[in-house]
């Protein structure tokens, strides 16, 4: 079974600064996918970034990037130039590839507050 | 381009009452999922379906039943609601290995059981 751990229940950052959210995971599979989802107060689940485990290059999407350390089973999210609209709950998630049900396993979330 | 639609968006139930949450998707996705979100617990999988007519238990299935009679609909039922089922419920769908690009989520149902 997969597990995803987010050890920071809450974080805060000043506008325009950089913040890193931590995530570790555990899986016995060799190939899998990792995700960061954002949930603003609207409650909508928004995919921020994804990483394929067999790709060593870290994924980036504009101000969002990840630090993927496969051996350490670590998948942190870096948000650069933080904006007020980044205030949200952030969930780390994983899915094993090659399975038949494509179930996503989520961490408990990190509430990020961006202060003006 | 509705995607995944959940009804209702909000509901208050009394303990012991029953209700059904409806999830409808218009993307012809095979896979559908019901999650519950509770503070400090993240999203936990209740039940899921890998195709029309199929259902399977997830991580926290007790107290819930599901049905997938039509491919586009996935129903979550509470036969006798309990306060512990107060939560936000999310439905999601995916098309096979397109799940590796993420799910399509509904906007959630906030259920309060008093």
């Amino acid at each position: 079974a997969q597990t995803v751990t987010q050890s920071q229940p809450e974080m805060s950052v000043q506008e325009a600064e950089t913040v890193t959210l931590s995530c570790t995971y555990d899986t016995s599979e060799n190939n899998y996918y990792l995700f960061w989802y954002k949930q603003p107060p609207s409650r909508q689940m928004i995919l921020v970034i994804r990483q394929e485990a067999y790709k060593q290059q870290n994924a980036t999407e504009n101000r969002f990037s990840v630090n993927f350390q496969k051996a350490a089973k670590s998948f942190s999210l870096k948000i650069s130039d933080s904006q007020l609209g980044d205030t949200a709950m952030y969930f780390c998630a994983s899915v094993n590839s090659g399975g038949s049900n494509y179930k996503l396993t989520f961490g408990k979330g990190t509430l990020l507050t961006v202060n003006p | 381009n509705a995607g995944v639609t959940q009804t209702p968006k909000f509901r208050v139930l009394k303990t012991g009452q029953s209700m059904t949450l409806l999830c409808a998707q218009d993307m012809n996705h095979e896979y559908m999922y019901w999650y519950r979100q509770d503070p400090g617990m993240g999203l936990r999988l209740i039940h899921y379906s890998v195709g029309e007519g199929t259902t399977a238990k997830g991580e926290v299935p007790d107290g819930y039943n599901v049905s997938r009679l039509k491919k586009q609909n996935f129903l979550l039922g509470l036969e006798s609601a309990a306060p512990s089922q107060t939560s936000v419920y999310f439905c999601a769908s995916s098309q096979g290995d397109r799940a590796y690009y993420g799910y399509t989520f509904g906007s959630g149902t906030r259920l309060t059981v008093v």
Side-chain angles (χ1 to χ4, degrees), chain A residues 2 4 25 27 31-35 50-55 68 75 93-98 104-105, chain B residues 97 99-102:
Chain A
Q2 302 171 78
V4 177
Y25 60 92
T27 177
N31 201 15
Y32 46 89
Y33 294 77
L34 299 165
F35 306 87
R50 62 184 283 275
Q51 174 80 41
E52 302 173 48
Y54 64 85
K55 287 190 175 180
F68 174 49
F75 182 61
S94 70
V95 62
N96 289 333
S97 68
L104 266 182
T105 299
Chain B
D97 60 7
Y100 303 148
Y101 293 87

Side-chain angles (χ1 to χ4, degrees), chain A residues 15-16 19 22 29 36-37 61 66-67 70 82 84 89-90 96 105 107 110:
Chain A
E15 195 174 6
V19 63
S22 301
E29 299 295 324
W36 279 98
Y37 278 90
E61 289 286 344
V66 298
N67 183 4
K70 190 172 184 178
S82 297
L84 297 178
M89 181 72 80
Y90 288 82
N96 289 333
T105 299
T110 296

Side-chain angles (χ1 to χ4, degrees), chain A residues 39 43 50 98 101-102 104, chain B residues 33 35 37 40 100 103 107-108:
Chain A
Q39 186 184 48
R43 210 166 64 196
R50 62 184 283 275
N101 53 44
Y102 308 101
L104 266 182
Chain B
Y33 310 85
Y35 286 85
Q37 181 183 1
Y100 303 148
Y103 288 172
S107 57

Side-chain angles (χ1 to χ4, degrees), chain A residues 26-77:
Chain A
D26 192 15
T27 177
S28 57
E29 299 295 324
N30 206 26
N31 201 15
Y32 46 89
Y33 294 77
L34 299 165
F35 306 87
W36 279 98
Y37 278 90
K38 171 185 178 181
Q39 186 184 48
S42 67
R43 210 166 64 196
Q44 189 64 39
M45 294 289 287
I46 301 166
L47 179 62
V48 174
I49 199 165
R50 62 184 283 275
Q51 174 80 41
E52 302 173 48
Y54 64 85
K55 287 190 175 180
Q56 293 189 349
Q57 186 174 5
N58 289 326
T60 61
E61 289 286 344
N62 301 313
R63 297 183 295 109
F64 298 88
S65 62
V66 298
N67 183 4
F68 174 49
Q69 302 289 328
K70 190 172 184 178
K73 294 185 177 177
S74 171
F75 182 61
S76 60
L77 174 70

Side-chain angles (χ1 to χ4, degrees), chain B residues 77-96:
Chain B
L78 287 73
E79 289 187 348
S80 179
S84 61
Q85 293 177 304
T86 292
S87 188
V88 178
Y89 292 86
F90 284 96
C91 177
S93 71
S94 71
Q95 182 57 24

